[in-house]
Amino acid sequence: MTDNRRVSYFYDAEVGNYHYGQGHLMKPHRIRMTHNLVVNYGLYRKMEVFRPRLVSPVEMTRYHSDEYVNFLKVITPDNMGEYSRQLQRFNVGEDCPVFDGLFDFCQLYTSGSMGGAARLNENAADIVINWAGGFHHGKRAEASGFCYINDCVLAILELLKKHERVLYIDIGIHHGDGVEEAFYKTNRVMTCSFHKFGDFFPGTGDVRDLGHGDGENYSINVPLKEGMDDESYASVFRPIVGKIMEVFAPGAVVLQCGADSLSGDRLGCFNLSVRGHADCVRFVRSFGIPMLVLGGGGYTLRNVPRCWTYETAVLTGEDIKDELPFNDYWEYFGPNYKLHLPVSNMKNANTKESLEQTKGEVLEILSRIEPVPGTQIQTGQVDSQLNPRGMSVDRAGEASSNRKEHGSELAA
């Protein structure tokens, strides 16, 4: 089935050239593999395809500190010796290594997310996809969990110029801690993260972490155990997101689709199929609210492109065949060359009772919030509530210059 939802898609072929280093689990190459599948399925014909127009470092300081952005601009593998103290201060070096073109890589993935948000603000699209984005662990002045610049936060700040309330949903296996932290004290952004909890990076995301001050009850956490399957996931995802839509009534949604919650991920321990993961995308899409869809984690190289390609089809309302079309990365998809793979037989540690209890706790938290927060919106100004880490409103205003030219259209 098809419908008339206008979908924009941001991609720059350069993104696949960056390399975190030998043996590192994060491989930007998976974005190029995804794009190649999207093209070979013919899905690009259903979307407007854009190369992101690069945002300036100043625009990154709408959330991140000047010192941190400047550090990312200057650090290279060759000058690390001169910056040993800053490396430690900004948590760069091990999980978040210094590699050739580090800042260019950050600029590229961030530009797709911010440009996508601007496109939604201009009502030029109903859905925008940036599979290169979704770096949800980045902090205001610290790298974390393979993430440097937090494009999710910057995209949300962009959306807040037009929308009074923005919802962030995270279905990667790790808690979306960087995004939650950025908006912990405001009721204009609700963050909702479904994640593995207990002895698992980053160690945050307890159901009792609710937000603070004006933001109390606006940080929603759904802590889960290993082995989550499609049925278990849907049993918490659909009622919780449905309730959020009812009481929070967001004007726009940012959906982080980390593929590390898939069965067989090298870092994950959930047991979702591609269909089960995409069911979340389909459900959020069904509300008809402007959507920015981002990538995130995903460390089994043959599975990430399968997942994000199928979700591109879901977002465009297209049915695609299980048999993969021939593509540039054919050898990665053997031996069956199918889009959908069977899940493993791992035990699901989430009992029906434990899931019901968690769902009940979350719905109880949601019952405490006003059905629609009565916040006055100031166009082009980031609300003072949105500066929980001391970011000046002037700086936010300075960076909110009119960004009508969000991308240059690529020839299909």
Side-chain angles (χ1 to χ4, degrees), residues 283-300:
F283 185 66
V284 175
R285 181 185 186 275
S286 71
F287 290 91
I289 295 165
M291 268 175 94
L292 175 64
V293 181
L294 306 176
Y299 307 101
T300 299

Side-chain angles (χ1 to χ4, degrees), residues 171-242:
I171 60 171
I173 196 167
H174 299 96
H175 177 230
D177 58 335
V179 187
E180 178 184 282
E181 184 178 299
F183 299 109
Y184 207 62
K185 295 181 180 177
T186 178
N187 59 12
R188 287 188 60 200
V189 177
M190 180 172 280
T191 59
C192 179
S193 177
F194 298 80
H195 50 269
K196 166 73 168 75
F197 185 69
D199 193 26
F200 196 74
F201 182 86
T204 49
D206 192 293
V207 72
R208 292 166 296 192
D209 297 335
L210 307 171
H212 184 71
D214 288 339
E216 189 172 345
N217 303 323
Y218 290 85
S219 290
I220 302 300
N221 285 299
V222 187
L224 303 164
K225 300 187 180 80
E226 62 275 8
M228 280 298 285
D229 57 28
D230 294 354
E231 188 184 348
S232 298
Y233 208 90
S235 77
V236 290
F237 186 86
R238 284 177 166 252
I240 288 169
V241 170

